[in-house]
Amino acid sequence: MVVDEYEWLRAKDDPAVLAHLHEENAYTKARTEHLSLLQEQLFEEIRARTKETDLSVPTREGDWWYFTRTVEGAQYGIHCRVPAAGDDWEPPVLPETTGDELVDASFERLPGEQVLLDDNLEAEGHEYYALGSFDVTGDGSTLLYGIDVEGDERYTIRLRSVDGSGREYDDVIEGTAAGAVFDPSGRYLFYATVDESWRPDTIWRHEVGTAASDDVSVFTEPDERFWLGVGVTRSRKFVMIEAGSNVTSETWLLDADEPAGEFRVVWPRKDGVEYDVEHVVAGGKDRLLVVHNDGAVNFELVSVAASDPQGPRRMLLPHNPAVRLEGVDAFRDFVAVEYRREGLPRVAVAKVPAAGLPADATPDDTLHELSFDEELFSVGIGSNADWEQPSLRIGFSSFVTPTTVYDVVIATGERRLRKQQPVLGGYDPTRYSQRREWAVADDGTRIPISLVYRDDLVDLGVPAPTLLYGYGSYEHSIDPAFGIPRLSLLDRGMIFAVAHVRGGGEMGRLWYEHGKKFDKRNTFTDFVAVARHLIDEDVTAPDRLVAQGGSAGGLLMGAVANMGPRFFSGILAEVPFVDPLTSILDPSLPLTVIEWDEWGNPLDDAEVYAYMKSYSPYENVHGSTNGGGHYPPILAVTSLNDTRVLYVEPAKWVARLRDAGADPLLKTEMAAGHGGVSGRYSAWRERAFAYAWVIDRAKAHPTGE
């Protein structure tokens, strides 16, 4: 029998538990009171560098350009649109500004601008707000939106007329998952609901104008490892249901002309095989593009007939052990492919063969990769809603280049700059450098590290205060990208580094496979190897190195606190998954069963149980007799309403650490979910709080002088 002296903290509604969390918050506030001025300074720096009144690059869909505004002083976005004119594919823009001058979006409007949804109005009276569904009918007359005001990722769907009347429909659907959509006719909408473990398990069809009690269940997934989602192909030819576990997927299609018809499976699920589907019209025929890993560990791309998807496959992009194929987007005239090579994301485009080509003609379907001249970068396909658009919207960023939006004209290859994220206050990217280094893990594997720092404040070879970030799970890649809050660290002489440890996807599918289940310890030892490398190379020193990770990256933080505490002067663990064994042993908890593909099932396998117990942060806190005081200071941040990583995990962990003689702090957001507080100003304050603690622990200069 296992006795867990802190399991009582799981009773979320118990007044004693709530009192305990409030007491922990008060203690953390008192212990960080000396950082209050620095917190305020960091908040003001973030705010001063941000163009608070701004708008996104409009995206065309049908007869409208859609975009989102932000307004100074407002926490949330405002979703708007303007009419599109025929074949004009140039997105509308506001008048040019000079320097740091602002165009106030509350006064300056685009011609014909219409507000569809103001998140600030919807959020009034609520401590938390999140928008989980947003869709407009094909004819542009009706808006669907789903909001969550608790942080538990359960959304209430409502409908609104946006043809001028602003009428709110009587249709109200509660308790849905995110991602509801209209069918192409606009007569129906499709949405998902969740089971008792908060797993999206059922897809429903709702007829507009009817009661939710009359909705029809069109698909139910009994296997608890699988989540469901629903969408519409860009061509608007099919409604699509996707079922997926961590390692297996299955797609079902419904002809959009028959929204009340039956869905049909593309490929029946096969354990360990994942695939994604895109509809394309090639040579005048309906085809499906399928990215899959059936016998292709890094995935390959094939084409099948839409009418017979289980029939013959035409190979388009064969498996390449050096390239991880990640996805394909199809349009009327071209396709775009996303993949990874040499640890970085890539995008390429190719034209779609047209109908009516002579029999002896060779179609120009060559794949052209988009090139960039930075050593480290992140690039990906952006918002591209329209089937007929002649260009591809992409987003580009790096540690030193603010997020930049381009439209790539397919016919000519021209790359048109649409917007670069403004950074106010005279940001000069030439003052900063980014570079890649490699650490060597215990088993000889080379682990990539990405670093960024300010040239005039950092002399490589002289130990500098450093923040080392890591994640390493679910094949999720941490690519070099820009962040305004991070400038406040760099301008204080800090280095920001990312350890691209196994369990992530940076180096291909096997990089992920070698950091999960019985290879999970590689994730933790890789991170320690990176820390050791940075110290050995005099990039930093143990008294100046802070580790950071969140969610599954919080598990990483808890593990390295046990395995290599001497390398760190502080550990920032955000919504940390630090009691994995308890969670994975309880299939009634949210997400547990689906997680067995990632970690193993300790309920049925004693070897899995023993292995997970060997690295679980909570299980391996060193007792005081083993020198628990050697832990570095730890700051754990969690949210009371988080359904992905329950607040109880860091609450128990902090209590046990303190019993072992460690010096941890716990901060619980009492009205937030897994992503933390809602609202950009609130999020900036939370980032300022965390970064003030980081700066203090890394011994960076608090004022940046």
Side-chain angles (χ1 to χ4, degrees), residues 627-650:
H630 75 280
Y631 283 103
I634 293 171
L635 172 61
V637 180
T638 188
S639 298
L640 184 64
N641 295 326
D642 191 343
T643 60
R644 296 175 182 262
V645 178
L646 302 185
Y647 74 92
V648 67
E649 296 199 25

Side-chain angles (χ1 to χ4, degrees), residues 497-520:
V498 176
H500 302 286
V501 296
R502 282 174 285 185
E506 289 89 342
M507 303 297 289
R509 180 66 175 210
L510 290 179
W511 198 251
Y512 164 58
E513 297 289 348
H514 294 161
K516 61 182 292 192
K517 288 192 172 179
F518 287 115
D519 289 321
K520 189 62 205 173

Side-chain angles (χ1 to χ4, degrees), residues 13 16 47 64 99 111 180 290 294 311 334 417-418 456 480 572 633 638 663:
D13 297 324
R47 184 169 185 170
W64 298 89
V290 185
D294 190 5
F334 66 95
L417 174 64
R418 298 304 189 193
D456 61 330
L572 172 59
T638 188
D663 184 25

Side-chain angles (χ1 to χ4, degrees), residues 60-132:
R60 181 166 177 174
E61 184 170 11
D63 296 329
W64 298 89
W65 290 99
Y66 293 88
F67 57 97
T68 300
R69 287 187 173 278
T70 55
V71 177
E72 183 176 353
Q75 287 268 29
Y76 303 98
I78 304 170
H79 307 276
C80 309
R81 70 179 182 182
V82 297
D87 292 330
D88 183 6
W89 290 92
E90 286 293 311
V93 295
L94 286 172
E96 290 291 333
T97 64
T98 58
D100 291 346
E101 176 188 1
L102 296 180
V103 174
D104 189 342
S106 63
F107 298 100
E108 189 74 25
R109 300 286 181 179
L110 292 171
E113 182 171 332
Q114 175 189 10
V115 174
L116 300 177
L117 186 73
D118 186 338
D119 287 334
N120 301 284
L121 296 179
E122 301 298 329
E124 285 184 357
H126 302 290
E127 292 186 71
Y128 180 90
Y129 172 86
L131 181 66

Side-chain angles (χ1 to χ4, degrees), residues 220-284:
T220 297
E221 176 54 62
D223 190 330
E224 293 181 294
R225 298 175 302 160
F226 286 76
W227 281 28
L228 297 181
V230 64
V232 176
T233 59
R234 186 178 285 106
S235 64
R236 305 185 75 79
K237 174 74 172 177
F238 299 104
V239 178
M240 182 166 54
I241 292 175
E242 295 177 306
S245 73
N246 280 334
V247 297
T248 306
S249 62
E250 184 178 64
T251 299
W252 295 69
L253 297 180
L254 171 69
D255 194 313
D257 292 335
E258 301 178 3
E262 296 294 324
F263 284 82
R264 56 190 175 89
V265 69
V266 176
W267 291 354
R269 70 186 61 174
K270 180 180 177 182
D271 193 45
V273 173
E274 300 172 66
Y275 69 92
D276 292 313
V277 175
E278 275 279 296
H279 171 239
V280 68
V281 180

Side-chain angles (χ1 to χ4, degrees), residues 542-565:
D543 64 340
R544 313 204 78 184
L545 177 59
V546 177
Q548 178 191 8
S551 194
L555 167 64
L556 170 61
M557 295 299 99
V560 301
N562 291 328
M563 296 178 181

Side-chain angles (χ1 to χ4, degrees), residues 101 190 249 302-303 323 359 423 442 448 523 599 608 648 703:
E101 176 188 1
F190 291 86
S249 62
V302 300
S303 169
V323 175
V423 184
D442 294 344
T523 304
W599 315 96
V608 171
V648 67
T703 65

Side-chain angles (χ1 to χ4, degrees), residues 479-496:
D479 292 317
F482 190 79
I484 283 180
R486 189 188 304 135
L487 293 176
S488 292
L489 301 182
L490 305 184
D491 287 354
R492 287 170 170 80
M494 289 194 67
I495 296 172
F496 178 77

